[in-house]
Amino acid sequence: MPRGRYSLHDPHDHTPLGEEHFHCAPGPSGWRYVSQITTPAGDHAGSVDLALDELGRPIRLELHAASWQIRGAALDGVTWVRTDPSGVHATEGNVGAHAFTGTSPAFLVATARLLRLSPGAPATRVRLVAFTDPVLAPRTLDQSWALMNSEAHATDNGPLTVDEYQVSALDTGEQHTVHLSGDVVLSAPGIELEDLETPPSTLP
């Protein structure tokens, strides 16, 4: 069960946004990721609880940020309920999308697991619903993902396979690179792996 800490920063001006303390593990039905998010000052800022089925679809998502809450799952595309801080004005959403995304590194692992790309294969288009900080506002976006390279690196614990993905935003044409090893993000825009207590899990 990988357990560690990511630092989060603005991908454009590198302003520190805080840290995400996480643990994740494959399970009998798929994969689960749980984290607590703190501000740069160390105060609690939110949490992520994401569970995927064996095909990589989100069977449960629970996000908390600034008193806002999202509960969602893959249902007729993806469906979610967003609750305001007072708890009075809950709103439901549904979009014909493949999965969810957001600032948490969990969503990069989840999308890669959903797509199951092969090195050198053509880029695959995916429609996602992003929940944007700080109020978890939903936004539908289209990306294209391609697995550019998959390379084994020697470590003290045996070979570590690193996958390099090119991710393109189809509305802006902006491209960036994501490096994953199993169920851990090694680097991505706005995300740095600062501490990892146990090696990444190999996802089948």
Side-chain angles (χ1 to χ4, degrees):
M1 179 190 290
R3 181 183 298 270
R5 175 172 54 89
Y6 294 110
S7 64
L8 308 176
H9 54 267
D10 186 296
H12 302 292
D13 64 12
H14 302 291
T15 302
L17 300 177
E19 294 188 330
E20 188 160 332
H21 301 256
F22 73 95
H23 60 272
C24 55
S29 64
W31 181 72
R32 186 174 179 204
Y33 176 101
V34 178
S35 70
Q36 297 292 325
I37 302 162
T38 57
T39 67
D43 300 321
H44 179 73
S47 62
V48 179
D49 188 342
L50 174 64
L52 308 179
D53 68 8
E54 67 276 6
L55 298 178
R57 297 172 300 195
I59 52 176
R60 191 186 70 253
L61 170 67
E62 190 168 317
L63 294 179
H64 292 267
S67 306
W68 293 86
Q69 177 180 309
I70 296 283
R71 290 178 186 268
L75 187 68
D76 297 326
V78 292
T79 299
W80 68 92
V81 175
R82 177 174 176 262
T83 308
D84 64 300
S86 70
V88 175
H89 304 290
T91 55
E92 186 171 313
N94 171 262
V95 171
H98 300 95
F100 299 111
T101 191
T103 54
S104 173
F107 295 114
L108 297 174
V109 176
T111 303
R113 183 159 171 70
L114 177 73
L115 298 178
R116 298 171 189 261
L117 300 174
S118 301
T124 297
R125 179 175 179 148
V126 61
R127 173 159 287 182
L128 303 168
V129 173
F131 295 109
T132 54
D133 293 334
V135 295
L136 301 180
R139 183 170 69 92
T140 304
L141 52 87
D142 293 303
Q143 293 179 338
S144 109
W145 280 60
L147 179 54
M148 307 303 289
N149 192 21
S150 186
E151 200 172 333
H153 296 263
T155 72
D156 295 342
N157 298 313
L160 188 72
T161 301
V162 177
D163 295 326
E164 177 188 337
Y165 292 88
Q166 184 177 79
V167 181
S168 305
L170 296 183
D171 55 348
T172 63
E174 186 178 4
Q175 292 186 334
H176 58 266
T177 302
V178 173
H179 290 95
L180 303 182
S181 180
D183 56 357
V184 172
V185 178
L186 301 181
S187 67
I191 298 166
E192 292 294 337
L193 180 65
E194 300 289 351
D195 182 43
L196 185 64
E197 294 178 14
T198 44
S201 301
T202 302
L203 298 174

